[in-house]
DNA sequence: AGCACGCCGACT
DNA sequence: GTCGGCGTGCTC
């Protein structure tokens, strides 16, 4: 070509000009600073907004992301450092995700870099996956001696595929040393595989789906929501109504449209059964994402999500920050669950931020629950969410019949905890070969121990809560801070022996009573504090599922999602527990818990029965449960909150003010107090969770404000969001404020 | 003197 | 979030 020489000269000139005028870019770094920092781009490196880089920061190297907007030209050029590495194998973070990071940072009052940190949670994912060491049969080669183990290996390899050493040993049912032997003999050869092949894509048409007319109608509405862009739907269905099947249809629709889908679950324990159901419906497993995933799998999923190889993710709240290539749907299952809230570091509600992410990227979000949160019901009633009700069980089984047992009149004798009527029902259920569940939200043997002689009560030395006796462990335990001590023989105050008495029941004590009265029944305690951890829990849940236990005594973990097909009877040992708490959400939490736990009865078979042992059968929360009238509960609760001056969206309006400057934080607090009318000033108080946060927190001065009805917190926040800058260095919004009104 | 610990500001 | 500098107070 004739222009060869000229273009070379031009290139040189251009290169020189570039070298003289060094390029600088904004880089967001994972530290608590308010803005992106500025770095030089090394010659020859190519970066764009979204590119993931490594940069020097102080004395260390950190991950960062090239950010939007002009770099800060006011920074002293002598201070500027160079990007030390460009991760060109990793996909740049897309604009939608970057906007989401900024939105969450703005909302939670966290530094944007701290939110970015939640995105960059797998350093391994930024490199190409290292090749996998494997073995393959060498055509025609044979071992000197054929043994049964060797034959099994060669048989497994007969399809000509390469296997990993451990995978092959496992598949052939031999030890890995057999494979080493065959390698040494030159029958097998080592090969390198290019990482893991992508998992097969879920097939939206894999299974024949048989929906009830009610389910089909909701499924059709969810499919239609894709046409509306950013619609939020609330599936409000009784326990056993088949919400999962319905939202699976929304996932199928997302897949058919070539979009990715994300399912958020409140806790890891629920993923197991979800995976099985998903596989039945879509023919393959979704990718999993939560804190217990191994680094390798984590990296694979992160990369797969970014490249689009992974189509569906099921995960805990942190999955919300995965770098999806083209996310088209988020499902938030058990949307009422408090586990969606993160209280430390960046304090956010994954349910609310899911709605935000859907809004920013214009895709549908589905919230599902048998007991929706009050705020979601309000959002639905006020037209922000579409609400779909599934009032009946998909199996056709009728809902359990629920009865109150008035403990003032029909209670058990002294020192016993189960009323005669409940015992009779347990005996019947046992006789017909079905399961009973006794629910008591109290771990251990007894919540309080005292001395009969001198009245000494065992109290935690650190937090003034009663110490709970755990008889299996022979300990007194504080459920607040974890402090424990050995159960003493004598009273520490008056030294009397045989004088300590247990007051009130825990699950261990109820189990003792059950074993005493039904010695021939197989009883099982399900409580999170028993030794053996998650593995044991999984085993025992399976035992109950398979009908290997007759009477189960459990704490609140039995209320969550597990399917117990043989469970016919549920007895709530103390239905009043939780109603008396000072927590403004006590009624809601109790309603949800009791509705979920009684919903276990006869879920598959029908004919379930529930009993609530109570001293206050007239309490409106219990009445709503007894009457099977969920709407009555929500009506009552929304009215009660309005009367208490809580905001109409049903959530506590709270601000946590914190910062290094105590005077500034207090000054701002006083300004807030002045802004509220004189008759009901802003109350400055510290509920238990805020107090705990204060003790554990790194900030030195912190103040919790609950704004009463007169204070226009919403208006203030709206103004603040629109007009920046922050009133103090570190003002933190509590996770309980609903972002719906700001979208 | 030597160092553990907590506090505090800086980090581009 | 993490590091380094600095002051305090205690031990070898």
């Amino acid at each position: 070509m004739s222009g060869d020489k000229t273009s070379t000269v031009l290139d040189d000139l251009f290169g020189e000009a570039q070298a003289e005028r060094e390029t600088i870019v904004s880089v967001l770094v994972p530290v608590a600073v308010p803005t992106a920092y500025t770095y030089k781009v090394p010659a020859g490196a190519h970066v764009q907004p979204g590119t993931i880089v490594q940069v020097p920061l102080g004395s260390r190297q950190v991950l960062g992301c090239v950010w939007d907007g002009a770099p800060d030209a006011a920074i002293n050029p002598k201070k500027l450092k160079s990007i030390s590495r460009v991760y060109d194998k990793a996909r740049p973070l897309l604009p939608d995700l970057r906007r989401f990071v900024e939105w969450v940072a703005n909302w939670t009052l966290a530094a944007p870099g701290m939110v970015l940190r939640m995105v960059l949670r797998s350093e391994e994912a930024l490199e190409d996956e290292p090749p996998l060491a494997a073995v393959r049969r060498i055509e025609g080669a044979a071992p000197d001696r054929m043994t049964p183990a060797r034959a099994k290996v060669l048989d497994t390899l007969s399809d000509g595929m390469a296997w990993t050493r451990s995978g092959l040993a496992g598949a052939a049912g031999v030890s890995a040393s057999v494979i080493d032997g065959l390698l040494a003999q030159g029958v097998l050869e080592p090969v390198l595989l290019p990482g893991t092949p992508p998992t097969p894509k879920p097939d939206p048409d894999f299974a024949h789906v048989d929906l009830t007319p009610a389910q089909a109608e909701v499924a059709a509405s969810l499919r239609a929501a894709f046409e509306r862009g950013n619609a939020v739907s609330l599936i409000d269905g009784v326990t056993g109504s088949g919400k999962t099947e319905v939202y699976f249809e929304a996932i199928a629709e997302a897949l058919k449209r070539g979009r990715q889908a994300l399912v958020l679950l409140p806790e890891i324990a629920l993923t197991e059964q979800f995976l099985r159901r998903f596989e039945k419906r879509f023919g393959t497993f979704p990718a999993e994402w939560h804190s217990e995933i191994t680094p390798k799998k984590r990296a694979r999923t992160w990369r797969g999500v970014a490249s689009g190889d992974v189509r569906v993710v099921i995960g805990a709240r942190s999955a919300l920050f995965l770098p999806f290539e083209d996310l088209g749907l988020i499902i938030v299952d058990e949307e009422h669950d408090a586990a969606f809230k993160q209280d430390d570091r960046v304090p956010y509600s994954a349910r609310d931020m899911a709605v935000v992410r859907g809004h920013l990227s214009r895709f549908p979000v589905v919230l599902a629950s048998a007991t929706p949160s009050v705020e979601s019901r309000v959002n639905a009633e006020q037209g922000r969410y579409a609400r779909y009700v599934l009032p009946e069980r998909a199996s056709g089984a009728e809902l359990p019949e629920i009865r109150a047992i008035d403990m003032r009149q029909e209670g058990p004798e002294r020192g016993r905890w189960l009323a005669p009527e409940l015992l009779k029902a347990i005996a019947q259920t046992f006789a017909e070969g079905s399961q009973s569940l006794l629910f008591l939200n109290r771990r251990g043997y007894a919540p309080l121990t005292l001395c009969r002689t001198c009245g000494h009560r065992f109290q935690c030395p650190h937090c003034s809560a009663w110490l709970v006796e755990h008889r299996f462990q022979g300990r007194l335990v504080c459920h607040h801070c974890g402090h424990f001590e050995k159960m003493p023989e004598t009273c520490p105050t008056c030294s009397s022996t045989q004088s300590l008495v247990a007051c009130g029941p825990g699950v261990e004590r109820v189990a003792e009573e059950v074993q005493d009265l039904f010695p021939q029944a197989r009883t099982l305690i399900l409580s999170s504090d028993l030794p053996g951890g998650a593995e044991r829990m999984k085993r025992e849940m399976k035992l109950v599922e398979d009908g290997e236990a007759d009477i189960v005594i459990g704490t609140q973990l039995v209320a969550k999602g597990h399917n117990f097909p043989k469970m016919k009877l549920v007895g709530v040992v103390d239905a009043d527990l939780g109603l008396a708490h000072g927590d403004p959400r006590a009624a809601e939490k109790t309603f949800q818990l009791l509705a979920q736990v009684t919903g276990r009865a006869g879920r598959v078979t029908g004919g379930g029965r529930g009993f609530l042992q109570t001293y206050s059968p007239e309490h409106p929360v219990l009445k709503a449960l007894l009457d099977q009238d969920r709407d009555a509960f929500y009506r009552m609760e929304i009215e009660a909150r309005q009367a208490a001056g809580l905001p109409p969206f049903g959530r506590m309006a709270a601000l946590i003010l914190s910062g290094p400057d105590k005077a500034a934080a207090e000054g701002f607090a006083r300004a807030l107090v002045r802004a509220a009318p004189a008759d009901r000033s802003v109350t400055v108080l510290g509920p238990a969770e805020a107090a705990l946060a204060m003790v554990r927190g790194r900030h030195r001065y912190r103040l919790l404000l609950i704004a009463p009805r007169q204070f226009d917190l919403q208006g203030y926040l709206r103004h603040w969001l629109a007009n920046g800058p922050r009133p103090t260095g570190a003002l933190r919004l509590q996770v309980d404020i609903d972002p719906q009104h700001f979208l």
Side-chain angles (χ1 to χ4, degrees):
Chain A
M1 229 193 263
S2 63
D4 265 359
K5 189 152 187 179
T6 319
S7 72
T8 311
V9 171
L10 280 177
D11 281 349
D12 285 351
L13 284 173
F14 184 64
E16 269 170 44
Q18 257 204 333
E20 272 167 39
R21 203 167 27 82
E22 274 174 328
T23 337
I24 53 171
V25 288
S26 279
V27 177
L28 196 55
V29 289
V31 292
V33 290
T35 56
Y37 275 180
T38 304
Y39 284 89
K40 292 191 283 194
V41 180
H46 176 72
V47 299
Q48 64 187 86
T51 305
I52 298 168
V53 294
Q54 188 186 47
V55 290
L57 183 70
S59 59
R60 61 211 168 103
Q61 294 285 331
V62 296
L63 282 182
C65 179
V66 176
W67 216 246
D68 310 73
D72 188 350
I75 303 293
N76 178 2
K78 292 210 176 93
K79 254 171 101 177
L80 288 181
K81 295 180 183 171
S82 256
I83 290 171
S84 39
R85 189 170 165 200
V86 176
Y87 287 95
D88 42 17
K89 293 280 168 23
R91 312 244 166 170
L93 303 185
L94 298 176
D96 274 10
L97 180 56
R98 304 202 297 274
R99 297 298 79 77
F100 181 57
V101 165
E102 285 168 349
W103 209 101
V104 173
N106 203 15
W107 180 251
T108 59
L109 303 170
M114 296 309 293
V115 182
L116 176 70
R117 209 169 177 271
M118 303 196 285
V119 176
L120 302 177
R121 285 229 342 220
S122 172
E123 210 166 324
E124 241 180 296
L126 306 177
E127 318 272 3
D128 270 343
E129 190 168 1
L132 200 63
V135 296
R136 192 168 51 194
R137 175 90 194 258
I138 296 175
E139 201 74 33
D144 52 2
R145 272 187 318 110
M146 188 57 87
T147 64
R150 286 176 173 181
K152 273 191 268 180
V153 171
L154 294 181
D155 185 48
T156 310
L157 284 172
S158 59
D159 60 358
M161 301 294 278
W163 288 69
T164 64
R165 189 167 157 277
S166 59
L168 178 57
V174 303
S175 97
S177 59
V178 179
I179 293 156
D180 293 339
L182 289 170
L183 273 165
Q185 293 242 321
V187 181
L188 306 183
E189 61 176 347
V191 288
L192 288 178
L193 297 179
T196 330
T199 45
K201 306 238 189 296
D203 173 4
D205 297 317
F206 179 78
H208 169 74
V209 188
D210 213 3
L211 297 178
T212 66
Q215 285 178 314
E217 203 183 314
V218 179
S221 301
L222 295 184
R223 275 193 291 270
F226 282 87
E227 302 298 340
R228 280 180 288 146
N230 60 346
V232 181
S233 309
L234 173 66
I235 312 182
D236 182 351
V238 298
T239 51
S241 60
K243 291 181 288 293
T244 312
E245 283 73 22
V246 171
Y247 71 61
F248 273 176
E249 295 315 296
I251 297 175
E253 181 65 19
L255 293 172
K256 283 180 185 164
R257 288 167 179 261
R259 315 284 301 272
Q260 291 166 298
L262 167 64
V263 180
L264 295 178
L265 294 181
E267 54 177 293
I268 307 173
L270 300 176
T271 50
E272 189 80 15
Q273 64 153 351
F274 180 91
L275 291 174
R276 274 184 274 144
R277 291 177 77 172
F278 188 92
E279 201 257 350
K280 268 196 193 148
R281 172 64 181 83
F282 294 102
T284 181
F285 291 100
E288 261 182 274
W289 184 270
H290 49 72
S291 58
E292 279 169 30
I293 292 295
T294 60
K296 240 189 199 156
K297 274 202 183 144
R298 177 180 294 270
R300 212 173 286 153
T301 299
W302 201 95
R303 269 191 299 259
V305 161
S307 70
D309 286 341
V310 168
R311 305 311 298 169
V312 181
V313 176
I314 155 122
R317 58 175 186 246
S318 57
L320 190 55
F321 294 92
L322 280 168
F324 289 92
E325 182 214 25
D326 184 17
L327 187 57
L329 173 71
I330 302 179
I331 313 276
V332 184
D333 202 355
E334 309 290 350
E335 68 89 23
H336 63 280
D337 200 301
F340 284 121
K341 288 191 249 181
Q342 170 160 302
D343 284 323
D344 55 347
R345 294 177 295 253
V346 179
Y348 69 98
S349 158
R351 191 255 332 261
D352 292 344
M353 293 308 110
V355 171
V356 170
R357 196 165 182 186
H359 184 87
L360 292 178
S361 299
R362 308 203 58 75
F363 61 71
V365 175
V366 176
L367 313 179
S369 176
T371 53
S373 59
V374 172
E375 64 272 15
S376 290
R377 276 286 298 245
V378 171
N379 279 327
E381 273 164 32
Q382 298 182 350
R384 282 180 293 273
Y385 298 166
R387 174 167 169 247
Y388 303 106
V389 183
L390 292 167
E392 275 155 20
R393 286 177 162 172
S395 59
E398 69 277 27
L399 288 167
E401 183 191 312
I402 301 177
R403 268 190 41 64
I405 298 177
D406 188 338
M407 297 291 270
R408 294 166 303 191
Q409 277 141 44
E410 329 162 56
E413 57 189 277
R414 234 182 122 70
R416 296 282 187 176
W417 314 101
L418 304 173
E421 189 181 352
L422 178 55
L423 291 172
K424 202 172 109 198
I426 297 172
Q428 275 170 7
T429 309
F430 178 50
E432 70 184 42
S434 295
Q435 284 172 326
S436 301
L437 169 68
L438 294 175
F439 170 75
L440 176 60
N441 205 7
R442 239 191 215 146
R443 289 144 47 207
Y445 186 83
L448 168 68
T449 306
L450 56 80
C451 172
R452 224 178 343 218
T453 313
C454 71
H456 174 81
R457 293 161 170 223
F458 286 86
Q459 215 172 9
C460 176
H462 308 302
C463 37
S464 80
W466 302 134
L467 291 176
V468 180
E469 180 185 355
H470 284 241
R471 197 159 276 194
F472 292 158
Q473 300 170 9
R475 280 177 179 174
L476 291 168
V477 182
C478 172
H479 286 180
H480 221 69
C481 68
H483 164 87
F484 64 87
E485 50 197 70
K486 202 175 161 309
M487 181 75 197
E489 306 267 318
T490 58
C491 173
T493 324
C494 70
S495 306
S496 321
T497 50
Q498 308 271 308
S499 180
L500 302 180
V501 281
C503 299
V507 277
E508 290 180 14
R509 198 168 194 181
V510 172
E512 186 182 79
E513 184 172 335
V514 167
Q515 273 154 7
D516 190 32
L517 297 171
F518 301 95
Q520 66 289 34
R522 296 164 297 177
T523 58
L524 181 68
I525 300 182
L526 288 177
S527 173
S528 58
D529 60 322
L530 296 174
E535 274 310 303
R536 174 195 175 137
M537 194 51 65
K538 230 193 233 171
R539 257 201 334 272
E540 294 190 332
M541 288 288 181
K542 185 96 181 23
L543 281 182
V544 183
E545 204 182 311
D546 296 345
E548 301 289 324
D550 302 309
I551 304 172
V552 180
I553 301 97
T555 58
Q556 67 174 11
L557 60 96
V558 295
K560 305 249 173 128
H562 301 279
N563 191 22
F564 303 135
K566 293 190 75 180
M567 193 80 67
K568 290 287 274 287
L569 172 70
V570 172
V572 177
V573 178
D574 185 354
D576 305 326
L577 193 63
L579 282 174
H581 271 285
D583 183 342
R585 248 199 276 276
E588 180 183 359
K589 283 181 183 163
T590 305
F591 174 78
Q592 286 162 343
L593 190 58
L594 296 186
Q596 296 271 353
V597 76
T598 52
R600 308 282 114 202
R603 191 175 160 150
V604 179
T605 53
R609 284 195 289 172
F611 288 91
L612 307 179
Q613 296 195 144
T614 172
Y615 287 90
S616 51
E618 297 305 314
H619 193 290
V621 168
L622 301 187
K623 274 207 92 58
L625 285 163
L626 293 165
D627 299 345
Q628 305 274 6
D629 189 352
R630 302 186 313 148
D631 288 347
F633 166 74
Y634 288 98
R635 269 198 310 274
M636 174 200 80
E637 183 62 14
I638 291 166
E639 274 167 29
R641 288 188 191 186
Q642 272 164 359
L646 294 167
F649 44 86
R651 315 200 70 177
M652 272 208 307
L655 281 171
I656 293 177
L657 268 175
S658 66
D661 184 350
K662 186 183 180 185
E666 281 182 352
F668 186 70
R670 272 193 296 274
L672 278 176
V673 172
R674 273 198 303 277
D679 65 317
R680 272 262 316 272
S681 66
V682 175
T683 339
V684 181
L685 37 95
E689 41 185 342
L692 265 173
M694 272 186 250
V695 174
R696 295 201 192 116
R698 301 276 304 240
H699 292 294
R700 263 158 304 154
Y701 308 109
R702 187 168 280 185
L703 208 51
L704 180 81
L705 299 173
I706 311 263
R709 107 192 88 196
Q710 294 90 343
F711 183 66
D712 182 16
L713 187 60
Q714 277 182 60
Y716 164 72
L717 290 171
R718 198 176 290 123
H719 169 85
W720 171 77
L721 276 171
N723 302 305
R726 298 159 192 203
T728 66
L731 174 66
R732 201 178 94 156
L733 210 64
Q734 221 214 4
V735 286
D736 272 332
I737 295 174
D738 193 326
Q740 269 311 300
H741 298 257
F742 304 95
L743 288 174

